[in-house]
Amino acid sequence: MTTTAIPESTDAFAELQKLGDADRLVDELPRALALVGSVSEDELPRAGRLLTGLDEDRVRRVHPGLPTVRIAVTGHSTLNALLPALVAQCARHGLWTRPQLSDFDGYVFDLTDPTSELYARDPDLALCVLDARVVLDKLPSPWSVQDLADVLDAELGLLEGLVARFGATARGTLVLNTLPLPHALTAQLVDLRSRARAGALWREANARLLRLVEEHPRLVVLDLEAVNDAVRDRPTVADTRLSLYAKAHLSPETLGSYAREAGHLARMITGRLRKCLVLDLDNTVWGGVLGDDGPEGIEVADTYRGEAFRAFQRVARQIASQGVLLAAVSKNDLEPVREVLRGHPGMTLREEDFVRVVANWRPKHENLRELAADLNIGVDSFVFVDDSPYERGLVRRELPEVAVVDVDEEPALHGERLLRDGWFTVRELTGEDLRRPERYRDELVRRDFLNDFDSLDDYLRELGVTVRLAAVGERDVARISQITLRTNQFNMTGRRLQPEDVRAWCADPARLSLAMQASDRFGDNGVVGAVFLRFEGRTAVLDNFLLSCRVFSRGIEQTCLSAVLRYAKDRGAREVTGSYVPTAKNGKVADFYERAGFAALDTGPHGATFRHDLGVIADPPEHVALVEEFGEHSPSDEGDN
């Protein structure tokens, strides 16, 4: 999707309205999505209503490459108000959706019957929206605490069965949510002991619901209380009149909060992940202006406001401890900044917490571009936090791909505003995630090492690259899935795989998934790429080939492709085919297969197919040492290594 510069939020909704009728909205949908990303919170529902109901077939014809997510909605309540909220929240992340709503109270049928419309939709996200009435409507009148225990146990048993059926039937992700405990339930019990027991039973049921994710990898369970708590003016979970008169058992505000969380999930499953948190320093990380106040005059930890800044530092450090890259971009002189980060007694964040500290007087959008180049990631990997409306507006205008978090003169809200959009949410944290900051620091050292050589060839020879190409094992599954979700530039088809999809590849004897692990003189890069290969008779098909942007241009891709071609030939294949499907970011690898000796079979605007006859297989680069471990998939005749 073409990036579109967007106006400030005060003008964005007006610009959206100017696009006019549905036909024009379809024609200019990429711009409309960009505008929604900049509208105010109050205007988001109206923006969603403008985009709801656009003709899905026409959208696909006019914008075949538009990032799209299929969403199916079912539940127990009246959920019409959820649809425009979902459209708006997905649009904020550059995604188009036209969610499909099932019949009222149809969730049991939808998830039980494999021929239901929900399964026919083949959704990327199936939202089963639960509310307290799924329990309350089944209580007898009058009821006892034991009745409540029995109904809760039966409902959880039902949900467990529905989750299992979904896992066996669908390819997407099922989303459930915890049940909000209504005050009116426990208030009907006149003795405090019974109230306490009822509250405990309800919370134990929610805990049981949350633990289902441990057994079902295609399941996400949202903690509805925490989702609602993320809203500054926390909405009432349910409106009694709407619940009784309209069977709308969750308030529009709660559905809005739910939609926001669903938008985060849509962003995650479509691979639109953020990798780097970039912080301004003055009045963002500490109070005051370092250049004016000096190290001894900034506020951090020693005043009420200073404690608020330190609390925000703790949030940033916690995020960074889980594999998110942390950087600073500040209009300051570098040495005073380093002095504060290294020695100020009140600081929680230290220089070693950052992969890069940039302090100079250049425009911040230019520094962000250079930082992206240094880290070898796209600017769309950044989440930028700054207290200055001017700096935020400039970055939004010049780099609209950057997610900009608005903070202001109230530091107590900095952490809350950063966390609200779950920018760095992943399905599962891996060991590779935890080692990522260290590896990016190593990469910066490699770049400095490169500057010592007159040629790239000399650099690569001295770098000492070793690649291990091995069959994917269970310990690799989460990381390989993550590579398909995170990798955009060197991703030949743009396909995204969840962990269960990777396991399916591993379990199929006609398919082979390979993990690329790289190391060099500076350390271990970890798992940096993947190959998905399947056999159809005497033809081997490269379903996808991916490589992390961290290790481009080191000969790793040529080495691994050469090994795969030789493996296919040794296994008896007469040809290897591979496809390239263009996306918004993978244009740089459009000719990858051709450069490796493949011939183009057919090409077009929606991609190309290539064929290698396995006659002459190019030798791998001499500077790369290769270790092959294909396991049980290895051919009986190993051939050359």
Side-chain angles (χ1 to χ4, degrees):
M1 182 176 67
T2 301
T3 300
T4 307
I6 53 179
E8 286 298 292
S9 60
T10 53
D11 302 322
F13 185 71
E15 290 291 320
L16 187 63
Q17 286 181 306
K18 289 178 183 177
L19 295 181
D21 60 23
D23 286 343
R24 189 178 176 198
L25 275 171
V26 170
D27 290 340
E28 301 196 39
L29 191 52
R31 173 164 174 76
L33 298 182
L35 287 168
V36 174
S38 193
V39 303
S40 69
E41 289 293 322
D42 293 338
E43 293 165 334
L44 265 179
R46 297 170 64 194
R49 286 191 290 273
L50 281 176
L51 296 176
T52 299
L54 298 184
D55 185 275
E56 187 172 12
D57 291 336
R58 187 162 182 271
V59 168
R60 288 177 175 172
R61 286 197 307 272
V62 176
H63 305 289
L66 189 70
T68 302
V69 59
R70 299 185 304 276
I71 299 179
V73 180
T74 188
H76 178 67
S77 175
T78 300
L79 296 169
N80 302 73
L82 179 60
L83 302 191
L86 287 170
V87 172
Q89 291 296 339
C90 288
R92 290 181 62 234
H93 303 298
L95 295 167
W96 161 246
T97 188
R98 192 173 187 270
Q100 300 295 308
L101 177 62
S102 297
D103 293 337
F104 173 80
D105 195 22
Y107 72 104
V108 175
F109 170 79
D110 288 335
L111 294 173
T112 301
D113 187 353
T115 66
S116 70
E117 289 187 11
L118 183 145
Y119 288 122
R121 174 73 173 168
D122 189 23
D124 301 308
L125 281 177
L127 309 179
C128 180
V129 185
L130 303 173
D131 58 79
R133 300 303 312 185
V134 300
V135 173
L136 304 188
D137 288 349
K138 297 172 184 174
L139 288 174
S141 179
W143 57 273
S144 66
V145 174
Q146 185 57 50
D147 291 326
L148 178 63
D150 294 341
V151 171
L152 284 168
D153 184 64
E155 184 63 25
L156 264 293
L158 171 64
L159 291 172
E160 288 167 351
L162 296 179
V163 170
R165 173 57 63 88
F166 183 91
T169 307
R171 296 184 300 173
T173 296
L174 175 63
V175 182
L176 302 180
N177 59 273
T178 57
L179 306 176
L181 174 60
H183 171 261
L185 177 74
T186 54
Q188 293 177 53
L189 299 169
V190 297
D191 70 288
L192 295 177
R193 187 181 296 274
S194 294
R195 289 181 185 177
R197 186 179 171 214
L201 287 169
W202 195 280
R203 290 172 174 84
E204 287 163 3
N206 276 332
R208 180 176 162 188
L209 192 57
L210 289 164
R211 282 194 293 269
L212 286 178
V213 300
E214 299 171 6
E215 304 171 16
H216 301 280
R218 293 192 186 278
L219 176 67
V220 171
V221 180
L222 301 180
D223 188 334
L224 197 59
E225 183 178 1
V227 168
N228 238 20
D229 195 46
V231 181
R232 181 102 189 106
D233 298 319
R234 182 175 180 177
T236 302
V237 172
D239 183 300
T240 303
R241 289 172 296 179
L242 286 174
S243 180
L244 289 173
Y245 299 151
K247 305 301 181 185
H249 304 313
L250 296 173
S251 69
E253 295 79 12
T254 296
L255 291 178
S257 300
Y258 180 101
R260 193 180 193 96
E261 199 70 17
H264 304 166
L265 294 176
R267 184 185 67 226
M268 178 189 74
I269 65 172
T270 55
R272 304 172 77 82
L273 302 173
R274 305 285 173 163
K275 302 176 183 178
C276 183
L277 174 59
V278 185
L279 303 177
D280 168 53
L281 297 176
D282 290 339
N283 288 315
T284 299
V285 168
W286 55 65
V289 177
L290 179 60
D292 295 338
D293 303 322
E296 68 285 348
I298 61 173
E299 292 181 286
V300 54
D302 49 359
T303 64
Y304 289 119
R305 280 173 52 82
E307 286 294 339
F309 284 108
R310 184 160 70 169
F312 178 62
Q313 291 184 33
R314 289 176 61 86
V315 170
R317 198 178 197 200
Q318 176 64 25
I319 291 172
S321 73
Q322 298 167 87
V324 174
L325 308 179
L326 184 63
V329 170
S330 174
K331 284 189 173 177
N332 264 304
D333 293 323
L334 182 57
E335 284 310 311
V337 167
R338 284 178 168 166
E339 180 184 343
V340 169
L341 293 175
R342 291 171 179 173
H344 194 291
M347 289 288 293
T348 296
L349 286 173
R350 294 296 180 186
E351 188 174 22
E352 58 267 23
D353 293 314
F354 296 87
V355 293
R356 180 75 92 188
V357 175
V358 181
N360 56 42
W361 299 97
R362 296 173 57 202
K364 290 191 177 180
H365 67 277
E366 294 181 3
N367 282 326
L368 288 171
R369 281 198 189 101
E370 289 194 5
L371 178 63
D374 287 344
L375 296 175
N376 204 10
I377 59 178
V379 293
D380 60 350
S381 296
F382 288 150
V383 175
F384 176 62
V385 186
D386 199 308
D387 70 294
S388 166
Y390 169 79
E391 300 290 359
R392 297 195 305 267
L394 185 62
V395 169
R396 281 194 173 104
R397 188 186 70 199
E398 299 295 327
L399 300 174
E401 309 95 329
V402 173
V404 179
V405 177
D406 296 337
V407 297
D408 54 26
E409 65 277 1
E410 179 47 86
L413 302 180
H414 284 9
E416 181 180 301
R417 287 168 175 165
L418 170 59
L419 295 172
R420 187 178 180 196
D421 271 306
W423 293 112
F424 306 106
T425 299
V426 295
R427 185 182 290 271
E428 181 180 356
L429 200 63
T430 69
E432 294 289 334
D433 291 323
L434 299 177
R435 291 186 287 272
R436 184 178 297 112
E438 176 185 352
R439 286 172 175 159
Y440 272 89
R441 292 188 192 97
D442 291 344
E443 182 58 28
L444 293 173
V445 174
R446 289 183 184 93
R447 287 178 176 270
D448 292 339
F449 181 63
L450 172 61
N451 294 331
D452 295 335
F453 291 88
D454 295 328
S455 73
L456 180 61
D457 289 340
D458 291 341
Y459 164 73
L460 291 173
R461 278 193 293 271
E462 291 299 318
L463 190 58
V465 177
T466 297
V467 176
R468 175 178 175 265
L469 186 63
V472 172
E474 178 59 32
R475 67 178 183 179
D476 305 312
V477 166
R479 173 58 180 161
I480 295 299
S481 169
Q482 196 176 77
I483 284 175
T484 73
L485 294 172
R486 285 179 173 268
T487 303
N488 296 304
Q489 296 180 63
F490 203 131
N491 185 333
M492 295 301 294
T493 64
R495 294 190 184 105
R496 313 294 182 180
L497 300 179
Q498 301 300 331
E500 281 302 290
D501 301 318
V502 177
R503 289 190 178 93
W505 269 91
C506 296
D508 189 337
R511 296 180 174 186
L512 175 62
S513 52
L514 298 169
M516 306 178 200
Q517 184 173 349
S519 60
D520 57 36
R521 65 182 294 164
F522 293 105
D524 185 5
N525 287 291
V527 177
V528 295
V531 181
F532 294 92
L533 185 70
R534 56 188 167 87
F535 287 86
E536 297 178 353
R538 304 297 294 274
T539 298
V541 180
L542 279 164
D543 200 72
N544 206 0
F545 194 107
L546 309 97
L547 186 68
S548 169
C549 58
R550 283 190 291 125
V551 293
F552 282 1
S553 303
R554 298 182 193 172
I556 294 172
E557 57 268 44
Q558 294 89 347
T559 298
C560 291
L561 182 57
S562 176
V564 169
L565 293 176
R566 286 184 282 105
Y567 165 76
K569 184 175 182 178
D570 292 344
R571 184 159 163 169
R574 293 180 177 173
E575 63 179 1
V576 175
T577 63
S579 297
Y580 165 72
V581 179
T583 68
K585 297 182 180 179
N586 70 353
K588 68 191 305 177
V589 296
D591 63 346
F592 172 61
Y593 287 136
E594 285 186 292
R595 286 187 280 111
F598 285 68
L601 295 180
D602 59 79
T603 60
H606 305 308
T609 303
F610 302 91
R611 175 183 179 273
H612 198 296
D613 63 10
L614 299 178
V616 178
I617 300 175
D619 293 329
E622 293 182 356
H623 66 269
V624 179
L626 174 66
V627 178
E628 297 179 30
E629 297 178 10
F630 290 1
E632 295 179 0
H633 294 274
S634 296
S636 56
D637 180 5
E638 293 292 339
D640 296 330
N641 286 329

